[in-house]
Amino acid sequence: MVYIVILSIFLGIEVISNVPAILHTPLMSGANAIHGVVIIGAIIVMGHASPDDYLALTLGFLAVVLGTLNVVGGFVVTNRMLEMFKKKK
Amino acid sequence: MGQFLLEISYLIGSITFIVGLKMLSSPDKARQGNLIAAFGMGLAILGTILFHEKDGQGIGNIVWIFAAMGIGTIIGWMMAMKVKMTSMPQMVSFFNGMGGACAAIISIVEFGSHSGHEPGFLLTVFLGLAIGAVSFSGSMVAYGKLDGKINDIYSNVFTIVNSLMLLVIFALVGIGAFAPDMFGDNLLWILLGVSLLYGILFVMPIGGADMPVVISLLNSFTGVAAAFGGFLYDNPVMLTGGILVGSAGTILTVLMCTAMNRSLMNVIIGSFGAGATAGGKGAVGDQVAKETTVTDAAIMCAYAQRVCIVPGYGLAVAQAQHTCHEFEKELEKKGVEVIYAIHPVAGRMPGHMNVLLAEADVPYPKMKESEDVNPQMPQVDVVIVCGANDVVNPAAEDDPSSPIYGMPVIQVWNAKSTIVMKRSMRPGYAGIQNQLFFHPKTKMLFGDAKDSLSSLTSEVKSL
């Protein structure tokens, strides 16, 4: 686990360190979509909540909705931004 | 078999995130990169739904999960498609807040349903909760501020209160993890409340132009919160995705700060607007800026060899990117060479100007970064500063007392002449006077950026 964390930290730094300023906004937006991966946690919560635990079910449902918003919205917005760079080739 | 497929889907997911982020940093491959990461995300989600098992139990409540995902997809898709390019920053902030809230909720549910309370587990839950909650409320405030729904409030009190609250949060997390009996289960709710409040107070005093830095920072917070979720479930894809965003986001934040010549601490603790207004020596009093008319400006541009447009926040606010491109095309018809000089922090977010101009079909090679343009400045006949201010302020180079001293700027004063389009003589975001406006080679063209540009365009057309 700790290995993954440390490697990921360095990867993150390495991957992003020479990005041109032009792409800062799309990059931020793309990274924003990627941390939507938290939705997997929400699915696990929801998937293992017992059917009579209404608090967990409600909160889990809400978490899945919010997580999906993050993922879908994030990727779509990023794609829309990047579409514009592509057009003029 | 299921477990194996699950792990494969997570492995592919993690790899696509890394590849996607990498590709996002080159203009040609950025779009593919985004799609690849999205594909990986889809795969990891699908893998989880199909193959995830806990204590031999697969994922239940499938109908509800799909319903929730359906709702989220429809709302998220519609919001993302509808939003105007100029409102992009607040949209990113909004989605970021959603992720933060999701992380916080996960912690709440896990705390409730978990019976064993060993320190490691509690620490993960509480940290995930605190960071997620701060990210959520902070992002919402940032969203409101950029959308003009919430106004800036400057006060030095914030600095002290915020530092105290941060300490309280750390203390609560520590108590929660290592002395859980002190407050019992109530601690969860106290921590949630304090964190939400901290998020609000933390973003509240930060000025509009610093918002991108804050959003980027909150973005990396949410990444870290997601990573805590990964610890909680021993889930590698959440861990890599979260940490990747956490570290990349932090670097991005630092890069943005460097472009503005401010330290991160400065952005977070010192409220820029309050401290800076007093600085800078340029008194307006006896100095007179020269005003010009649309006709004169049009003639100057049409008979120039090279024109350089410096777009800024004002252009973004006036949504004048299309008009600006029209103007550029008219000038090119007259045989004028037009380039755009884009400061890294022009607009509402770093790179935001490029996105806006790209929306208006301005060719990518015409957008130059400031360090490429500066050496060519003496060969430029006319510079048009369109809604930019602090990024063309000479004080950054020659006035050590100025709060923006040392910030890289576009040296428009080296060009043969400059036309500044501005609504009024009011100082820019940093609250400091700009000597450029009183420079002998500078002429002011007052008015809304869009109106001025469109009247300029028709003037040039009729010449």
Side-chain angles (χ1 to χ4, degrees), chain B residues 124-258:
Chain B
T124 319
V125 166
F126 287 137
L127 280 174
L129 175 70
I131 299 172
V134 168
S135 177
F136 167 67
S137 61
S139 297
M140 286 302 120
V141 174
Y143 166 73
K145 278 186 135 183
L146 283 173
D147 223 30
K149 292 185 182 116
I150 303 174
N151 293 322
D152 296 353
I153 303 168
Y154 296 120
S155 166
N156 290 331
V157 182
F158 278 113
T159 318
I160 305 156
V161 174
N162 285 355
S163 317
L164 278 177
M165 285 191 76
L166 195 58
L167 282 178
V168 170
I169 291 177
F170 278 124
L172 283 176
V173 170
I175 292 171
F178 300 108
D181 299 328
M182 207 154 145
F183 292 105
D185 288 0
N186 291 332
L187 184 93
L188 186 80
W189 305 110
I190 303 173
L191 183 61
L192 177 67
V194 177
S195 304
L196 286 175
L197 193 62
Y198 177 70
I200 297 173
L201 294 180
F202 157 62
V203 181
M204 217 45 169
I206 297 174
D210 276 341
M211 235 7 117
V213 178
V214 176
I215 296 177
S216 175
L217 189 67
L218 292 172
N219 191 25
S220 55
F221 277 7
T222 314
V224 175
F228 279 113
F231 269 125
L232 205 56
Y233 297 115
D234 232 348
N235 188 309
V237 75
M238 285 174 78
L239 203 61
T240 40
I243 294 285
L244 208 56
V245 174
S247 72
T250 311
I251 293 296
L252 193 58
T253 314
V254 173
L255 282 178
M256 288 181 188
C257 286
T258 329

Side-chain angles (χ1 to χ4, degrees), chain B residues 4-128:
Chain B
F4 176 70
L5 286 175
L6 181 67
E7 273 171 21
I8 292 289
S9 78
Y10 282 173
L11 183 64
I12 297 176
S14 303
I15 293 172
T16 60
F17 293 164
I18 298 166
V19 175
L21 267 186
K22 180 78 207 162
M23 287 170 87
L24 268 170
S25 36
S26 97
D28 298 334
K29 288 181 259 163
R31 194 157 175 244
Q32 278 164 285
N34 183 49
L35 293 177
I36 288 177
F39 168 77
M41 180 75 77
L43 202 66
I45 292 174
L46 198 67
T48 308
I49 294 177
L50 292 178
F51 305 119
H52 190 274
E53 279 182 7
K54 193 172 92 179
D55 310 326
Q57 286 263 299
I59 292 280
N61 304 314
I62 297 265
V63 181
W64 287 109
I65 291 176
F66 275 111
M69 283 174 63
I71 296 173
T73 306
I74 292 169
I75 301 177
W77 188 283
M78 275 170 41
M79 285 178 85
M81 290 310 279
K82 235 178 52 192
V83 63
K84 289 201 195 81
M85 273 301 144
T86 37
S87 322
M88 235 20 138
Q90 50 264 52
M91 199 77 258
V92 174
S93 180
F94 178 82
F95 289 135
N96 182 44
M98 295 299 106
C102 182
I105 293 176
I106 291 173
S107 282
I108 296 174
V109 179
E110 278 305 313
F111 182 80
S113 63
H114 206 282
S115 45
H117 282 177
E118 60 275 14
F121 165 79
L122 288 171
L123 194 64
T124 319
V125 166
F126 287 137
L127 280 174

Side-chain angles (χ1 to χ4, degrees), chain B residues 158-368:
Chain B
F158 278 113
T159 318
I160 305 156
V161 174
N162 285 355
S163 317
L164 278 177
M165 285 191 76
L166 195 58
L167 282 178
V168 170
I169 291 177
F170 278 124
L172 283 176
V173 170
I175 292 171
F178 300 108
D181 299 328
M182 207 154 145
F183 292 105
D185 288 0
N186 291 332
L187 184 93
L188 186 80
W189 305 110
I190 303 173
L191 183 61
L192 177 67
V194 177
S195 304
L196 286 175
L197 193 62
Y198 177 70
I200 297 173
L201 294 180
F202 157 62
V203 181
M204 217 45 169
I206 297 174
D210 276 341
M211 235 7 117
V213 178
V214 176
I215 296 177
S216 175
L217 189 67
L218 292 172
N219 191 25
S220 55
F221 277 7
T222 314
V224 175
F228 279 113
F231 269 125
L232 205 56
Y233 297 115
D234 232 348
N235 188 309
V237 75
M238 285 174 78
L239 203 61
T240 40
I243 294 285
L244 208 56
V245 174
S247 72
T250 311
I251 293 296
L252 193 58
T253 314
V254 173
L255 282 178
M256 288 181 188
C257 286
T258 329
M260 290 196 266
N261 189 39
R262 312 205 30 217
S263 74
L264 188 54
M265 274 328 248
N266 203 318
V267 172
I268 298 169
I269 295 180
S271 42
F272 195 21
T277 344
K281 55 182 176 184
V284 214
D286 48 347
Q287 301 190 73
V288 186
K290 285 186 296 256
E291 204 176 328
T292 185
T293 61
V294 173
T295 326
D296 284 346
I299 292 173
M300 272 173 79
C301 298
Y303 293 101
Q305 293 269 309
R306 303 178 96 194
V307 170
C308 173
I309 301 176
V310 183
Y313 186 71
L315 182 117
V317 173
Q319 302 224 16
Q321 65 270 31
H322 292 280
T323 329
C324 193
H325 182 51
E326 282 295 307
F327 178 57
E328 168 218 321
K329 280 195 291 192
E330 277 314 315
L331 284 181
E332 301 232 297
K333 275 188 207 154
K334 305 262 177 205
V336 185
E337 189 192 335
V338 185
I339 53 167
Y340 290 84
I342 299 174
H343 191 272
V345 294
R348 294 193 142 192
M349 269 194 180
H352 189 215
M353 233 45 254
N354 305 74
V355 175
L356 283 183
L357 291 174
E359 188 201 6
D361 286 329
V362 173
Y364 183 64
K366 277 197 183 168
M367 305 180 204
K368 310 274 190 206

